[in-house]
Amino acid sequence: MARRPVAWLGAVALWAEAVGVALLNWFLGLVVDEQDMSLAGLDPHAMTVSTWIAGGVFGLYLALCGLILARTAVRDRGPGSVGKTVLISAAVVHGLLGAFAVGLVGWLAFVLMMAVLGLIVLTLVAYDRAFRPGPAPTSP
């Protein structure tokens, strides 16, 4: 079964996404800083710093999800309950981001979000403890 390659591919995709999100938020923070405009009376520098912090936190979250998938691939065992919870939350986030991406960015972003969602869900299902592959049942 292709459990390990799927987990590795998901880990690499999440790490690439973590770097992309962090760089995008860094760029957006620079844009906000250069505009020197306030939104509802907020300090422009506070908006810049909060954008950088949000990008860093979300990037670390995606990197953690990638680390959980990489650990799953290395050990060839399913993640524990905390790891499953984190991966399920990442799957939900990718589903929501994919839905928003269709209208805001386009269909390519939607397809990429759904591909990562599929890798996460496929890894979770492939390493499910309830499923034990065994010999095929024989008929009497």
Side-chain angles (χ1 to χ4, degrees), residues 25 48-59:
N25 278 288
T48 300
V49 171
S50 64
T51 301
W52 289 338
I53 291 171
V57 168
F58 194 57

Side-chain angles (χ1 to χ4, degrees), residues 12-36:
V12 170
L14 284 168
W15 288 331
E17 191 175 355
V19 170
V21 164
L23 289 176
L24 176 67
N25 278 288
W26 172 74
F27 174 73
L28 290 175
L30 289 178
V31 169
V32 168
D33 197 37
E34 290 297 318
Q35 292 293 319
D36 201 30

Side-chain angles (χ1 to χ4, degrees), residues 14 17 58 61-62 65 69 83-101 110 113-122 124:
L14 284 168
E17 191 175 355
F58 194 57
Y61 166 72
L62 292 173
C65 294
L69 285 179
K84 280 184 184 178
T85 304
V86 171
L87 290 177
I88 289 170
S89 71
V92 170
V93 165
H94 279 83
L96 292 172
L97 286 177
F100 290 130
F110 172 77
M113 287 291 123
M114 292 304 106
V116 176
L117 170 69
L119 290 170
I120 293 170
V121 171
L122 185 57
L124 285 170

